Amino acid sequence: MGNVLTVKDLKTAYKSRLGQYTYAVDGVSFELQEGRTLGIAGESGCGKSTLALSLMAFYFPPLTYLSGEICIEGRNIMALPYEELRRTILGKELAYIPQAAMNALNPTKRVLNFVRDILREHCPEKSKEDVQKMLAERFALLGLPERAMYAYPNELSGGMKQRVVIAVSTILDPAVLIADEPTSALDVTSQKLVMKMMKDMLRLGIVKSIIYITHELPLLRHITDDIMVMYAGQIVEHGTTEQVIFDSIHPYTKALMGSIIVPEEGAKDWKLAGIPGAPPNLRHRIEGCRFAQRCRYCGEQCPNHTGQRNRALSDGRFYRCDLAEAQLREVYARDYQR
């Protein structure tokens, strides 16, 4: 299968009223193949949500596009006028489930009327009856009761509102669905339902591929094929889910995994280790390694803390570090014995 989404050297920033830039997404490149789910993980403030907004071309102040390409099936959407982008790409090729999606519905409108307003922009030829039929079929496919179409948002439970937002976001069968922490405000049962629903949409061909954003790395084990780990606006590791979770290679990814409680046999005796310090201030350009000040392995072996060497391993993964794989595995064998 070919690539549905290709991103090349994407750079976006937040511009203050004084003209200062905070470089939230700095040189991000990746490819997403049809039929696969890509997870994006990292701690709060690493640029995950900004990357999602950037991929959707939601460039409204203070978010500013600087450079790079975002190609949907070979078509660079950043070269399109915004009106054409809104009519032909957003919702149809790219769909977005925002953070706090449960608050995304209009509280003064029934769900059906809310969807009619959306489709009036993208499919003006659709009648009210057509919209009602489309929504009813989508609700039935995703296990939502038909009565939810005629409800106000406050009449729905949190889990049901979340599922309704997912149904509405995918009503036009987009090529790529970008889900920004869609289960963070839900209980465990509702989380399981939402993740199952998203996997079903991929299996049924409702969407071609999914980007799933979260700060919970273990959660990605159950839904993604590949994982990208972000730190300070850059991708520091990219590999399959099994590689990143069970055989992390970048010091930041390894530290993240070492700070997580996992439900494994004997885990209660494991020692957890936090990551010291705080992420760097992205208002200033950082030419060297952005994790250097927090990395326990940074020292003489990292000349000038450049951190700019992108290393590709034989198993297909990529990581961004000056230290070679053999050096890292040697220190991990000593420090991460559980």
Side-chain angles (χ1 to χ4, degrees), residues 286-298:
I286 302 173
E287 299 301 332
C289 175
R290 301 187 176 190
F291 190 56
Q293 298 301 318
R294 305 174 73 188
C295 181
R296 63 196 296 184
Y297 307 115
C298 181

Side-chain angles (χ1 to χ4, degrees), residues 178-220:
I178 302 172
D180 191 357
E181 302 199 33
T183 62
S184 59
L186 303 178
D187 58 76
V188 174
T189 302
S190 296
Q191 285 184 351
K192 185 176 180 180
L193 284 172
V194 168
M195 287 192 293
K196 180 182 182 301
M197 187 167 64
M198 295 180 71
K199 290 170 73 173
D200 287 344
M201 287 191 295
L202 192 61
R203 177 177 57 83
L204 296 171
I206 295 173
V207 298
K208 291 182 180 179
S209 297
I210 296 174
I211 295 177
Y212 194 101
I213 298 172
T214 183
H215 61 276
E216 301 178 73
L217 263 170
L219 185 67
L220 296 178

Side-chain angles (χ1 to χ4, degrees), residues 231-248:
Y231 182 77
Q234 295 179 333
I235 304 300
V236 296
E237 184 164 354
H238 187 179
T240 67
T241 298
E242 296 294 311
Q243 288 170 343
V244 173
I245 291 181
F246 296 105
D247 189 28
S248 310

Side-chain angles (χ1 to χ4, degrees), residues 71 116 222 303:
C71 299
R116 282 172 176 163
H222 303 285

